[in-house]
Amino acid sequence: MEQIGTFAASSYTIRDLHLFRDIDDEQIAQALADCAVVRLAPGARVEDSNRARLYILLRGALAVEADTRNGMADGTVSKILPGESVGEQSVLDEAANLASISALEESELLLIEGELVWKLIDQSNGLARNLLRLLSFRIRAANALLRRRQKLGEFYRQLSMNDGLTGMYNRAWMNDMLPKLIATAHRAGTPLALVMLDLDHFKRFNDTHGHLAGDDALRAAADVISTALRPSDFALRYGGEELMVILPETPEPLALMVAERLCSRMREAPIFRDMRIPLPHITASFGVALLETGMDDSALIAAADAAMYRAKEGGRNRVAR
C-alpha cells in the first residue's frame, strides 16, 4: 500500500464519497484535507486493516472478506465500488477491523482515522444520518443473507436425512428421531411399535437381474410401505435391503396387522413392467417389536431385528413377533 498524496491534493471531491453526501462541502473538505490517499496494486491487501480506520474507495474495486482473524470467516466476499466505504463498524466499536481487504484491480483509497470520524460525527448530523442509513442497509442485507443461508441449511439438513435411492428417511434421521419418539412414548405412557423388514433373497435377485433391477425392487418396496402407512407413521431405509417402520401410539395387535398388510402388498408389487420377465415380484420378512418399560432405541431395534430373523427362519415372506 503506497501513499500517493492527500485528499486535498487529489482530484476527488466530497461528492465522490457516499458517506458525505448532502453535507457542507467546505467544512468536511477542510477536515479531510490532510487524510492520506493510498494506491493498492491488484491483488494486494490492506496490511494495517486491523486499525480502527475508515477506508473509502476512490477508484478501482475492493474485495472484503469479514472476520478472517477470529475464526468466523464463512467465505462471503463483498465487492466495494468507488464512493463506498469499509471499516465503519471498527470505528464505532473503537476496535480492530477484522475484515480482509484486497484490491480486485488497481485502486485508490482515502484513509480516515477513527478519531477523526468521531469528530466529524460530533460536528455533522448529516454524517451521522448517512452512517445510520448505511449501517441499516447492511443489517438488512446481512439479515436477508442469513435467512437464505438458514433456508439453504435446512434444505441440506433435510436432504441429508433422506435416502437418495428410495426417498425414505435414512439411518441418520433414525439416530436423531427414534430416541425422541421413544422418550415421548415413555413419558406419555403410550405404545410404540417398530417393524424391521428385509427383502428376501435380495442377493440372488441382484445376481439374477442386475443391480439396476435391484434398485427398482428397493424403490418398489419403499413405495409399498410409504403408501400403506398413516401420516403419523415413519418409514426409513435402515441399510442395504433392510427397511424399518416406526408406528407411534400403536399397540401390538394393530402393529401386527400393519405388518401383515405390508407383507401382503409387498408380494403383489410388480418390479418389472414386462410381466414376461421371471420373478416379477418380491417378498420380505417382517419382525415386529413393542417398546417395553425401560427399553431404549438400541434395545428396541435389537428386538425387532431378532423377530425379523425368526420370520426368516420360519420360511420368509411372513411376519414374526
Side-chain angles (χ1 to χ4, degrees), residues 210-225:
H211 289 281
L212 291 179
D215 289 347
D216 288 339
L218 280 168
R219 280 190 285 263
D223 186 60
V224 166
I225 294 170

Side-chain angles (χ1 to χ4, degrees), residues 61-66 74-81 84-86 99-102 104 138 141-142 145 149:
L62 299 177
V64 178
E65 183 177 356
D74 60 0
T76 301
V77 177
S78 301
K79 186 176 182 179
I80 303 297
L81 299 177
E84 298 177 344
S85 54
V86 61
S100 173
I101 306 170
S102 59
L104 296 173
R138 290 187 178 170
L145 180 61
R149 287 177 178 168

Side-chain angles (χ1 to χ4, degrees), residues 2-263:
E2 170 194 6
Q3 181 169 347
I4 58 175
T6 63
F7 187 68
S10 73
S11 61
Y12 304 105
T13 68
I14 297 299
R15 294 181 180 85
D16 297 321
L17 315 179
H18 294 180
L19 272 179
F20 298 99
R21 285 179 176 172
D22 303 320
I23 301 176
D24 181 1
D25 291 0
E26 185 62 29
Q27 179 184 8
I28 299 299
Q30 291 177 0
L32 299 181
D34 295 330
C35 291
V37 175
V38 301
R39 180 183 292 124
L40 208 58
R45 293 181 178 273
V46 177
E47 297 177 355
D48 58 349
S49 65
N50 61 331
R51 296 177 61 178
R53 274 179 171 175
L54 184 65
Y55 301 85
I56 300 181
L57 181 64
L58 302 172
R59 179 175 67 86
L62 299 177
V64 178
E65 183 177 356
D67 298 326
T68 57
R69 303 181 193 179
N70 66 357
M72 296 297 290
D74 60 0
T76 301
V77 177
S78 301
K79 186 176 182 179
I80 303 297
L81 299 177
E84 298 177 344
S85 54
V86 61
E88 301 87 356
Q89 188 69 53
S90 70
V91 170
L92 295 178
D93 292 344
E94 298 182 340
N97 184 355
L98 297 179
S100 173
I101 306 170
S102 59
L104 296 173
E105 57 189 74
E106 184 175 88
S107 303
E108 293 180 5
L109 289 77
L110 174 64
L111 275 56
I112 310 176
E113 298 296 338
E115 297 85 350
L116 178 56
V117 176
W118 275 112
K119 290 180 181 179
L120 293 175
I121 291 173
D122 291 337
Q123 295 173 7
S124 172
N125 291 333
L127 173 57
R129 286 195 300 270
N130 288 349
L131 187 58
L132 285 173
R133 290 192 188 103
L134 172 65
L135 294 177
S136 175
F137 171 79
R138 290 187 178 170
I139 289 172
R140 288 178 182 272
N143 287 340
L145 180 61
L146 180 60
R147 287 193 295 271
R148 287 197 296 271
R149 287 177 178 168
Q150 287 174 335
K151 290 180 180 178
L152 188 62
E154 179 61 21
F155 169 77
Y156 282 114
R157 191 190 76 83
Q158 291 293 338
L159 193 63
S160 71
M161 295 292 184
N162 288 88
D163 175 59
L165 177 64
T166 63
M168 306 173 84
Y169 290 121
N170 61 18
R171 197 159 179 169
W173 178 91
M174 182 205 72
N175 291 337
D176 180 53
M177 287 301 299
L178 184 56
K180 297 176 182 178
L181 293 169
I182 289 175
T184 298
H186 280 316
R187 185 169 55 252
T190 55
L192 184 142
L194 188 68
V195 181
M196 181 86 78
L197 61 135
D198 186 84
L199 300 188
D200 294 329
H201 302 298
F202 192 69
K203 183 179 184 305
R204 183 193 306 171
F205 187 98
N206 274 336
D207 291 343
T208 303
H209 301 285
H211 289 281
L212 291 179
D215 289 347
D216 288 339
L218 280 168
R219 280 190 285 263
D223 186 60
V224 166
I225 294 170
S226 299
T227 56
L229 297 181
R230 304 166 300 182
S232 58
D233 301 329
F234 304 96
L236 62 107
R237 185 180 181 189
Y238 187 69
E241 65 272 22
E242 286 188 325
L243 309 176
M244 183 185 290
V245 176
I246 304 172
L247 304 171
E249 300 185 13
T250 304
E252 182 175 3
L254 182 55
L256 291 170
M257 186 183 304
V258 170
E260 291 287 359
R261 182 171 71 242
L262 292 175
C263 186

